[in-house]
Amino acid sequence: MTEGTTSAAAEGADTLTRLEQEGEIAADYLEGLLDIADLDGDIDMDVEADRAAVSIISDAGSRDLQKLVGRDGEVLEALQELTRLAVHRETGDRSRLMLDIAGYRAQKRTELSELGAKAAAEAKSTGEPVKLKPMTPFERKVVHDAVKSAGLRSESEGEEPQRFVVVLPA
């Protein structure tokens, strides 16, 4: 093995270890939060697309966990930021950790991928740009990925929180 290969492999392992550590810190933080709120839930950890991914799931139906999702995922977004801050406090590094509760983000990802594909089809058929409603950064990223998969380009316009995706025709 060459030196470059060794260091690249070691760097990849270091990144995985760092992301696994972020997941562990986040899981501990969220378990404490669930205890305080007296909510039942299991914590699942993974590493997806170069970021730690933590999910809170419940066997007993996710009715209680819906409180942690909130309207349009607002509470989930806030909890994700608090969890990222808890990780930052422990590691000193900024975290890009993704939090999902009761499958909310997974379901939203599916819906947004479909929206992106439909907008791309519309832009292809009309030859006109398609502007979508304002979205969170997570939502815009999913739509951009779907548009790219459909073979078109998209860009974000506007200022937060009114930032939106524009799908461009070929």
Side-chain angles (χ1 to χ4, degrees):
M1 247 200 302
T2 66
E3 238 178 79
T5 308
T6 306
S7 66
E11 186 176 306
D14 287 349
T15 299
L16 191 59
T17 304
R18 181 178 55 77
L19 294 175
E20 288 169 345
Q21 179 189 17
E22 281 187 19
E24 292 287 338
I25 293 166
D28 289 345
Y29 175 78
L30 291 166
E31 282 175 3
L33 181 80
L34 289 173
D35 286 345
I36 291 168
D38 196 27
L39 296 172
D40 289 327
D42 295 320
I43 310 278
D44 185 36
M45 294 179 300
D46 201 359
V47 174
E48 297 173 0
D50 245 9
R51 63 171 55 179
V54 179
S55 300
I56 301 176
I57 51 180
S58 174
D59 294 337
S62 51
R63 235 185 210 343
D64 281 350
L65 293 182
Q66 289 304 319
K67 296 172 188 170
L68 298 179
V69 173
R71 192 184 76 221
D72 296 328
E74 290 173 340
V75 177
L76 170 59
E77 289 291 333
L79 287 173
Q80 177 175 277
E81 284 307 309
L82 289 171
T83 305
R84 286 177 174 177
L85 286 170
V87 170
H88 176 75
R89 189 183 66 223
E90 291 288 319
T91 65
D93 294 325
R94 185 176 171 276
S95 173
R96 294 178 50 238
L97 175 129
M98 185 65 70
L99 175 63
D100 192 6
I101 299 174
Y104 176 82
R105 265 196 219 280
Q107 176 66 35
K108 193 79 169 164
R109 185 175 278 123
T110 300
E111 293 169 8
L112 290 165
S113 292
E114 291 170 5
L115 175 67
K118 283 180 186 172
E122 183 182 334
K124 278 181 184 174
S125 70
T126 66
E128 297 292 321
V130 176
K131 292 182 179 181
L132 302 175
K133 66 178 181 51
M135 299 178 190
T136 66
F138 162 76
E139 293 168 332
R140 291 194 309 270
K141 169 80 170 98
V142 174
V143 171
H144 285 306
D145 290 347
V147 169
K148 186 176 180 181
S149 293
L152 291 183
R153 282 185 335 105
S154 59
E155 51 191 40
S156 292
E157 294 183 4
E159 298 293 321
E160 294 292 355
Q162 296 300 312
R163 202 154 164 77
F164 60 94
V165 173
V166 179
V167 180
L168 304 168

